[in-house]
Amino acid sequence: MLPSKIRIALAATSLAVAGFAVALGPLAANAEPAPAAASSSLATATFASGCFWCAESDFEKVDGVVSVVSGYTGGQTKNPTYEQVGNGSTGHTEAIEIKFDPAKISYPSLVDYFFHHTDVVDGGGQFCDRGSQYRPAIFTHGDDQKKAAIEGVAALDKSGRFKQPVAVEIADATTFTAAEDYHQDYYKKNPIRYKFYRTGCGRDARLKALWGDDAAIH
């Protein structure tokens, strides 16, 4: 069975017949994701918050973020495909790998931004996408990032904001496999399908319910 986001996004195609077909463009009109600017000062962050189309869209809006790549991490299968990850058999979760400039944004700030774009109390998936392949997670690069992630989760739990405990996994970063080309910048290449999916999946509605006036809605 196709993952939820593909089934919801494809449903937009039937609506496109009413007049949006030209605007949609081909699903697989892809280009290689632009490489991050070569700079020894850039750092890497890896987050999973459900659909990587949405996570990529959200983090590319952050000042100090140089590049965002959608992909898969946290599993065992080498070079997994979207179909393999989607059926939940590889142990991976959809994730994004970020290159950022620490002089412009700190890692703890990125963690906080991640929290506000994630259903932090749902460890069984995110929004309409269910299963471990959509579990929320912070994959840390080094001891400083791990410390910041642990402290961030602890502070959120201690705040008492949510009745349930924070269910975000924290794990050491391992191999990150970039997703297929057509997933990169999906929200730019297929804006109508993307918006149809994001709304249909209830992502922003749930974030609003969780975070209230602090919700980060895009």
Side-chain angles (χ1 to χ4, degrees), residues 36-44 66 99-103:
S39 173
S40 59
S41 66
L42 297 183
T44 303
V66 175
K99 298 295 183 183
F100 68 98
D101 184 350

Side-chain angles (χ1 to χ4, degrees), residues 2-181:
L2 289 172
S4 300
K5 71 165 171 287
I6 289 292
R7 287 187 278 111
I8 294 173
L10 288 180
T13 305
S14 62
L15 298 181
V17 175
F20 296 112
V22 174
L24 286 173
L27 176 62
N30 307 303
E32 291 289 339
S39 173
S40 59
S41 66
L42 297 183
T44 303
T46 306
F47 299 114
S49 57
C51 170
F52 49 27
W53 297 345
C54 298
E56 183 179 349
S57 169
D58 292 339
F59 274 88
E60 284 190 346
K61 297 176 173 69
V62 178
D63 185 33
V65 167
V66 175
S67 70
V68 185
V69 176
S70 291
Y72 319 110
T73 196
Q76 302 82 40
T77 302
K78 186 177 180 180
N79 298 320
T81 66
Y82 180 68
E83 290 73 18
Q84 288 174 319
V85 174
N87 67 30
S89 64
T90 71
H92 290 82
T93 185
E94 289 195 10
I96 54 171
E97 186 174 80
I98 299 165
K99 298 295 183 183
F100 68 98
D101 184 350
K104 293 184 177 180
I105 186 166
S106 69
Y107 182 75
S109 293
L110 285 176
V111 170
D112 184 66
Y113 188 85
F114 161 80
F115 288 151
H116 285 78
H117 288 77
T118 304
D119 187 341
V120 295
V121 296
D122 185 358
Q126 288 288 285
F127 315 104
C128 69
D129 292 316
R130 312 311 306 161
S132 64
Q133 64 271 41
Y134 296 107
R135 67 189 185 275
I138 302 172
F139 296 96
T140 59
H141 299 262
D143 292 342
D144 288 345
Q145 287 194 4
K146 179 179 286 188
K147 181 175 183 288
I150 291 172
E151 289 178 349
V153 167
L156 199 54
D157 270 329
K158 188 177 180 180
S159 73
R161 182 172 194 125
F162 307 113
K163 294 180 180 178
Q164 309 101 309
V166 173
V168 174
E169 173 188 353
I170 299 173
D172 292 339
T174 55
T175 300
F176 178 90
T177 302
E180 294 81 350
D181 290 347

